Amino acid sequence: MNLPDPLLPVACEVISRHQNSADVFTVELQPPPHFGAFRAGQFNMLYLPGAGESAISISGDPADRDKLVHTIRAVGNITELLMDGQKGDSIGLRGPFGRGWPIEEAYGKDLLILAGGIGLAPLRPVLYQAVAQADRFRSINLLVGARSPMELLYVDQLMNWKKQDQLRLQVTVDSAAANWRGDVGVITELIPKCRFDPERALAMICGPEIMIRFSVSRLLDQGMSAQAIHVSLERNMQCATGFCGHCQLGPHFLCKDGPVFSYPQVEPYLLTREF
Amino acid sequence: MKDIATELKEHPFFADLPDPTINLLGGCGHNEVYKPETLLASEGAEANEFFIIRRGRVAIQLHAAATGLARIQTLDAGDILGWSWLFPPYRWSVEARALQEVHTVKLDGRCLRQKCDADPALGYALMKRFSRIMTQRLEATRLQLLNLYGKANEPA
């Protein structure tokens, strides 16, 4: 069961806070009493009295009902104030909102997950679910791009999943010092190196929009159909219930109809300036 | 062990080239192994070869006075390294260093240039393939320049 009034924030206690990198941090919240299950890819509105609200993807395990995890990048007033928060603080929360990733559509297929920068956060719930039922997929492939090795998220957890052969992991960074032994280059360069059957694959992409566009282009080059590619988009979300129109993209309200879309649904708008 | 022509035939870069052409190209190549940290190419050195990486990882790097050694890209098994052999002044514009033991097929660019000059159809076929790689690398470099994962208005 979800919160009774989707427009009314409910106070949640911060049960832990962890700094992932210089400007990225993870907060774990005590779920409100009425908070039910969430779907991988959904988001919550986090509210700080006197500051405002910000839409933040849920980045934890959907099976874990004891905490709500959000990995956040400090890029504005609210998120910067959230970064200053401590264990025991109270944060207002509304949610969960939006349409999540179509995990069930990937059963029996090669699952390709492409994450750029903080875009890994909304995809981590997919990884939790996919790894927990790995035998339902032909393969689970995670391609990660980041600016530098210091900015990679969830490194220990990803390496652990990789070591246990639960997923195929490829990581690349835009630049690195000489002691970095991994890939250097953009995430699109990883796609041709990934082993998958383009006719039996489903891709999920989250990251900067230009990264999404070029990744889609590479996946189409590899023979994937556009319908099998799903993307998560980001816009200015305010009400999160499809009333205010701040997050409108063509005929879609990202907060209600998204943030996850199949690529053909949003392609015309991604290629149009000012949208 | 496979002969060089067979290696080339199985590589997507040479896909659709007729057997006589593959055999001709194979005559310009040999296997070469590089130990970790050894150089496959040095910036400014004569470029009379290119490589097909069969195994291992190679770092493409540039020295800059302000930032020191900058690693621009890494190449892995299946990747092609080097196009400076195609264009005057035939000098490497980057450093290529083995990060692991690297197994390559090394092709003699001088030998290939002569064959391409003598047979424009071969030259065109190779040029098309290298142009594709250059286009992909240019596209990747453009994305890197955009500082994709940086904040708005943050310098790259």
Side-chain angles (χ1 to χ4, degrees):
Chain A
M1 187 166 64
N2 290 341
L3 289 170
D5 183 346
L7 295 175
L8 184 67
V10 173
C12 297
E13 185 186 335
V14 175
I15 52 180
S16 84
R17 184 195 165 286
H18 163 74
Q19 197 72 30
N20 300 86
S21 67
D23 60 356
V24 176
F25 60 102
T26 297
V27 288
E28 295 183 354
L29 302 176
Q30 181 72 49
H34 300 293
F35 197 95
F38 71 90
R39 277 189 67 84
Q42 286 192 299
F43 66 94
N44 287 324
M45 297 298 294
L46 300 188
Y47 169 65
L48 281 180
E53 275 189 318
S54 189
I56 306 289
S57 299
I58 308 171
S59 57
D61 183 354
D64 183 352
R65 301 290 185 91
D66 294 331
K67 58 179 181 285
L68 269 174
V69 182
H70 296 86
T71 298
I72 304 166
R73 189 173 190 206
V75 288
N77 292 341
I78 300 163
T79 48
E80 280 169 9
L81 285 168
L82 283 168
M83 188 159 76
D84 294 336
Q86 297 298 327
K87 184 180 173 184
D89 283 357
S90 185
I91 290 176
L93 180 144
R94 296 191 288 128
F97 295 113
R99 201 175 68 156
W101 299 102
I103 297 176
E104 295 81 5
E105 280 183 39
Y107 289 165
K109 298 177 183 171
D110 291 313
L111 173 60
L112 272 67
I113 299 172
L114 286 82
I118 191 71
L120 183 54
L123 283 162
R124 189 167 66 157
V126 176
L127 289 164
Y128 278 114
Q129 289 192 318
V131 164
Q133 46 181 344
D135 54 344
R136 285 182 179 260
F137 304 90
R138 290 187 75 215
S139 66
I140 304 168
N141 305 272
L142 173 61
L143 280 54
V144 177
R147 186 156 58 161
S148 72
M150 296 293 289
E151 290 169 57
L152 287 166
L153 293 174
Y154 317 132
V155 174
D156 292 344
Q157 185 175 38
L158 298 182
M159 292 310 294
N160 194 35
W161 279 333
K162 185 187 178 188
K163 266 185 212 155
Q164 293 174 31
D165 290 328
Q166 289 170 305
L167 58 80
R168 296 184 202 149
L169 173 65
Q170 289 176 272
V171 174
T172 189
V173 295
D174 282 352
S175 62
N179 61 355
W180 168 252
R181 311 314 281 180
D183 270 292
V184 177
V186 288
I187 190 168
T188 50
E189 295 298 295
L190 297 178
I191 294 170
K193 296 174 183 175
C194 182
R195 283 173 289 136
F196 66 97
D197 178 350
E199 293 179 1
R200 295 179 66 187
L202 185 136
M204 301 178 182
I205 313 175
C206 188
E209 249 172 56
I210 190 163
M211 173 221 132
I212 291 176
R213 288 203 330 254
F214 278 85
S215 297
V216 169
S217 171
R218 268 299 176 93
L219 290 169
L220 296 176
D221 284 350
Q222 298 289 308
M224 276 192 77
S225 74
Q227 286 78 13
I229 301 172
H230 299 264
V231 301
S232 181
L233 301 179
E234 192 179 359
R235 287 291 185 280
N236 176 17
M237 299 196 203
Q238 296 281 328
C239 73
T241 51
F243 290 126
C244 74
H246 279 89
C247 64
Q248 191 167 359
L249 181 71
H252 308 296
F253 293 98
L254 258 70
C255 65
K256 181 171 67 74
D257 307 323
V260 175
F261 294 94
S262 74
Y263 186 66
Q265 283 181 288
V266 292
E267 181 185 14
Y269 313 108
L270 293 186
L271 299 175
T272 306
R273 288 186 189 187
E274 308 296 335
F275 257 108
Chain B
M1 196 179 198
K2 294 175 192 170
D3 63 21
I4 299 297
T6 307
E7 294 264 6
L8 301 187
K9 202 171 179 174
E10 291 174 358
H11 195 286
F13 183 78
F14 299 97
D16 303 327
L17 285 177
D19 284 351
T21 304
I22 292 281
N23 292 332
L24 189 80
L25 293 171
C28 293
H30 67 277
N31 285 302
E32 201 153 293
V33 179
Y34 293 83
K35 290 193 176 356
E37 296 303 325
T38 56
L39 288 174
L40 286 78
S42 303
E43 186 181 346
E46 274 190 53
N48 286 315
E49 63 282 297
F50 76 96
F51 302 88
I52 299 161
I53 302 170
R54 294 174 50 225
R55 199 188 318 160
R57 174 166 291 168
V58 177
I60 306 300
Q61 309 183 133
L62 267 174
H63 287 277
T67 55
L69 192 66
R71 187 167 298 168
I72 300 159
Q73 189 185 23
T74 49
L75 300 176
D76 295 296
D79 285 331
I80 304 284
L81 164 62
W83 56 64
S84 300
W85 64 276
L86 267 169
F87 310 102
Y90 310 118
R91 295 201 176 270
W92 286 92
S93 57
V94 292
E95 170 185 298
R97 185 178 293 274
L99 294 180
Q100 306 159 346
E101 185 169 275
V102 172
H103 294 243
T104 69
V105 174
K106 182 175 181 179
L107 287 114
D108 181 340
R110 211 180 316 227
C111 157
L112 277 177
R113 283 200 298 265
Q114 288 167 2
K115 287 179 177 172
C116 290
D117 286 344
D119 179 357
L122 169 65
Y124 179 60
L126 277 184
M127 194 62 86
K128 271 201 299 189
R129 285 162 171 76
F130 274 98
S131 300
R132 178 78 181 133
I133 291 177
M134 287 186 238
T135 306
Q136 286 172 351
R137 301 236 171 116
L138 175 62
E139 191 176 275
T141 305
R142 284 173 177 159
L143 286 177
Q144 275 173 304
L145 282 173
L146 286 174
N147 187 21
L148 283 183
Y149 311 117
K151 292 176 183 171
N153 304 321
E154 185 182 47

